[in-house]
């Protein structure tokens, strides 16, 4: 019998002081003195640096190609890239003035009712050209990746008519190395032209928009809250979306108790997001239905309000994801490190819980746990090298960017804190 053909790797990462694999049910799966080999963007081998020369995949020996990309972590901490499972990245205009007003005591709901808020962003976004939306999105994705995010979920929802929603989803898919998962959030808000006719707008979402955007977006989401949509209206969107083959998500219990968490359990959503006002009964229902809880501490910080009971989510055995909720109204922040710091301080998560929620938890909230959010053979080679020796620095050394290097699909995208060569991506 001839010897098995060696598997030739085109990527090698060496000398990680801590390599956080996120393997195992609740631990970080740390390899001290770690190394990792990949081929064609997929991980082939993870182990101790001293074993690189003896690496093998099943029965085949693993070799490193002469021209392989070599990343020397030089004693730093390495972990999977962050998976930001909840963002509203595509919009035009700014609401900095509203934030300033909120700092003076005006509430988000008051601003919304006075014609500010989401509808203001809708007007600016409808006016923006496809090129402008694509440019804005690309720049924001640059910011996400510089801060260590390798996969971004992007919701539409600032168009609220079919063509504008389609333009937003097209901009969300702009050429860029960051992985994207797209979500249709047509039921984000009742647009001005449907004032007092929310049910008719829901008809439009269900009968026109959802069928037309099938295949463009993978998920459908709905804002189930006071001032947005009721449980009945939200149920219609999610049920129709499911019939059409969309996976489902819901903005639930963000501003008030909305009944959204129970609806998520009833419909079998992949995730229920926000959950600031979720009760123990609702948490139990989410657990039974296998719904991932997505906590968005940046939103609570920015609204100056309460935080989701994420400690209870974990204690109840829910899978938890942390995300930024990047949007112009309630969380203008692309940085998952900020979400981690807030979750540790304000939601009483351990560092390990927060890091899992920011990586493998995010992947679960996108139905991608099989390929993203952890470092193991067969998974995507998406990782970050910190400017720190240990993961404990992440919440501790807050307010600065601790990401030194980013690799997506086995390709260095950020090196020494600086972006990649742009020509290669266009
Ligand atoms: O997640 N809740 C709905 N959507 C955003 C806010 C959008 C906005 O204010 O523009 C959120 O908080
Ligand atoms: Fe949101």
């Amino acid at each position: 019998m001839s010897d098995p053909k060696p598997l030739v790797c085109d990527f090698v990462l060496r000398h990680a002081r801590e390599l956080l694999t996120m393997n195992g049910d609740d631990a970080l799966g740390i390899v001290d003195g770690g190394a990792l080999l990949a081929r064609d963007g997929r991980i082939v081998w993870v182990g101790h640096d001293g074993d690189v020369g003896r690496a093998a995949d099943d029965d085949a020996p693993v070799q490193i190609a002469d021209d392989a990309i070599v990343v020397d972590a030089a004693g730093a901490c390495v972990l999977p890239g962050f998976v930001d499972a909840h963002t509203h990245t595509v919009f035009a205009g700014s609401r900095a003035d509203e934030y300033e007003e909120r700092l003076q005591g005006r509430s988000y709901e008051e601003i919304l009712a006075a014609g500010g808020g989401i509808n203001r962003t809708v007007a600016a976004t409808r006016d923006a050209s496809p090129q402008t939306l694509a440019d804005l999105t690309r720049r924001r994705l640059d910011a996400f990746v510089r801060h260590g995010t390798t996969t971004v979920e992007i919701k539409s929802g600032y168009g609220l008519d079919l063509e504008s929603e389609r333009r937003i989803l097209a901009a969300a898919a702009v050429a860029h190395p960051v992985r994207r998962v797209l979500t249709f959030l047509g039921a984000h808000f009742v647009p001005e032209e449907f004032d007092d006719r929310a049910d008719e707008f829901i008809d439009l979402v269900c009968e026109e928009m959802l069928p037309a955007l099938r295949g463009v977006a993978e998920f459908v989401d709905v804002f189930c809250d006071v001032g947005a949509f009721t449980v009945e209206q939200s149920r219609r969107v999610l049920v129709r979306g499911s019939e059409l083959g969309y996976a489902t998500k819901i903005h639930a219990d963000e501003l008030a108790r909305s009944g959204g968490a129970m609806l998520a359990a009833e419909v079998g959503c992949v995730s229920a997001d926000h959950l600031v006002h979720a009760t123990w009964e609702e948490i139990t229902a989410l657990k039974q239905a296998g719904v991932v809880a997505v906590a968005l501490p940046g939103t609570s910080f920015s609204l100056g309000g309460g935080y989701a009971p994420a400690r209870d989510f974990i204690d109840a055995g829910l899978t938890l994801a942390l995300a930024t909720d990047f949007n112009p109204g309630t969380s203008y922040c692309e940085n998952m490190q900020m979400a981690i710091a807030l979750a540790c301080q304000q939601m009483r998560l351990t560092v390990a819980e927060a890091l899992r929620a920011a990586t493998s938890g995010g992947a679960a909230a996108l139905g991608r746990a099989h390929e993203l959010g952890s470092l193991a053979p067969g998974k995507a080679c998406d990782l970050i090298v910190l400017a720190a020796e240990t993961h404990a620095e992440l919440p501790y050394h807050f307010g600065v960017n601790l990401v030194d290097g980013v690799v997506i699909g086995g390709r260095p995208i950020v090196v020494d804190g600086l972006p990649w060569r742009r020509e290669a991506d266009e």
Side-chain angles (χ1 to χ4, degrees):
M1 221 172 67
S2 62
D3 287 342
K5 261 179 62 188
L7 196 65
V8 181
C9 288
D10 53 21
F11 175 91
V12 51
L13 172 124
R14 301 199 59 176
H15 308 130
R17 185 186 188 97
E18 286 184 341
L19 181 64
L20 274 53
T21 65
M22 306 296 166
N23 293 320
D25 277 347
D26 52 14
L28 292 175
I30 300 180
V31 182
D32 290 320
L36 177 152
L37 301 172
R39 174 194 165 102
D40 295 333
R42 299 256 152 208
I43 297 169
V44 167
W45 179 88
V46 179
H48 291 285
D49 200 80
D51 294 333
V52 166
R54 292 190 290 276
D57 167 66
D58 294 332
D59 296 324
V62 173
Q63 283 179 5
I64 300 170
D66 291 341
D67 59 352
I69 292 169
V70 180
V71 174
D72 183 358
C77 171
V78 173
L79 66 156
F82 299 128
V83 178
D84 190 342
H86 183 136
T87 86
H88 306 249
T89 297
V90 185
F91 61 86
S94 162
R95 303 207 331 249
D97 52 351
E98 290 181 7
Y99 188 68
E100 208 174 351
E101 285 179 44
R102 286 202 280 111
L103 294 175
Q104 308 298 317
R106 209 163 170 221
S107 74
Y108 180 75
E109 289 88 339
E110 270 177 85
I111 292 172
L112 211 63
I118 295 178
N119 262 336
R120 185 163 161 223
T121 301
V122 169
T125 307
R126 284 178 174 176
D127 277 351
S129 68
Q131 187 62 49
T132 300
L133 291 180
D135 290 345
L136 286 166
T137 303
R138 200 184 289 110
R139 255 181 275 146
R140 290 169 187 156
L141 290 171
D142 288 353
F144 277 106
V145 76
R146 276 201 310 274
H147 290 92
T149 296
T150 51
T151 299
V152 182
E153 184 260 12
I154 301 183
K155 302 175 195 300
S156 66
Y158 291 114
L160 309 184
D161 61 51
L162 177 57
E163 284 325 306
S164 305
E165 289 290 300
R166 203 194 284 285
R167 268 190 304 131
I168 290 169
L169 290 167
V174 66
H176 195 285
V178 171
R179 295 181 200 275
R180 256 67 55 77
V181 174
L182 303 192
T183 297
F184 170 60
L185 178 59
H188 191 193
F189 206 64
V190 181
E192 265 160 14
E193 65 273 19
F194 278 86
D195 219 7
D196 291 330
R197 294 187 296 134
D199 283 323
E200 283 177 48
F201 179 64
I202 292 294
D203 291 343
L204 186 77
V205 168
C206 291
E207 300 317 319
E208 189 190 332
M209 299 194 206
L210 273 169
L213 296 171
R214 202 174 169 173
V216 178
E218 174 179 341
F219 282 86
V220 60
D221 193 347
V222 56
F223 187 12
C224 180
D225 221 311
V226 282
F229 296 100
T230 64
V231 167
E232 291 68 37
Q233 291 162 341
S234 303
R235 182 185 287 111
R236 284 184 59 202
V237 172
L238 297 177
V239 168
R240 181 78 179 122
S242 298
E243 284 167 5
L244 290 167
Y246 291 82
T248 51
K249 291 182 168 289
I250 185 167
H251 278 68
D253 304 281
E254 173 184 0
L255 303 171
R257 281 206 68 194
S258 69
M262 280 303 189
L263 180 61
E266 175 195 318
V267 174
C269 287
V270 177
S271 75
D273 302 35
H274 287 289
L275 300 173
V276 173
H277 301 276
T279 62
W280 189 255
E281 188 196 356
E282 289 164 330
I283 293 169
T284 311
L286 291 174
K287 163 73 184 155
Q288 273 165 5
V291 180
V292 176
V294 181
L296 305 161
T299 312
S300 301
F301 173 77
S302 186
L303 287 172
Y307 287 76
R311 178 77 265 141
D312 290 347
F313 301 162
I314 290 184
D315 293 345
L318 279 179
T319 298
L320 176 73
L322 276 179
T324 60
D325 195 19
F326 174 76
N327 76 75
T330 61
S331 185
Y332 194 38
C333 176
E334 299 93 334
N335 185 359
M336 286 287 282
Q337 298 164 64
M338 179 75 186
I340 290 165
L342 287 171
C344 291
Q345 188 57 246
Q346 302 290 338
M347 294 172 159
R348 294 185 296 118
L349 298 195
T350 65
V351 183
E353 287 165 347
L355 289 180
R356 282 186 68 90
T359 53
S360 58
L366 298 179
R368 295 286 203 286
H370 57 288
E371 55 172 351
L372 303 175
S374 56
L375 303 178
K379 300 212 169 162
C381 182
D382 294 0
L383 52 87
I384 56 188
V385 181
L386 295 185
E389 290 180 356
T390 156
H391 63 280
E393 291 264 337
L394 264 173
Y396 168 57
H397 192 171
F398 68 94
V400 294
N401 186 8
L402 282 182
V403 169
D404 212 27
V406 179
V407 171
I408 300 180
R411 267 187 62 209
I413 302 298
V414 174
V415 175
D416 294 334
L418 296 172
W420 65 100
R421 291 188 314 277
R422 177 43 79 54
E423 319 86 73
D425 301 301
E426 293 181 325

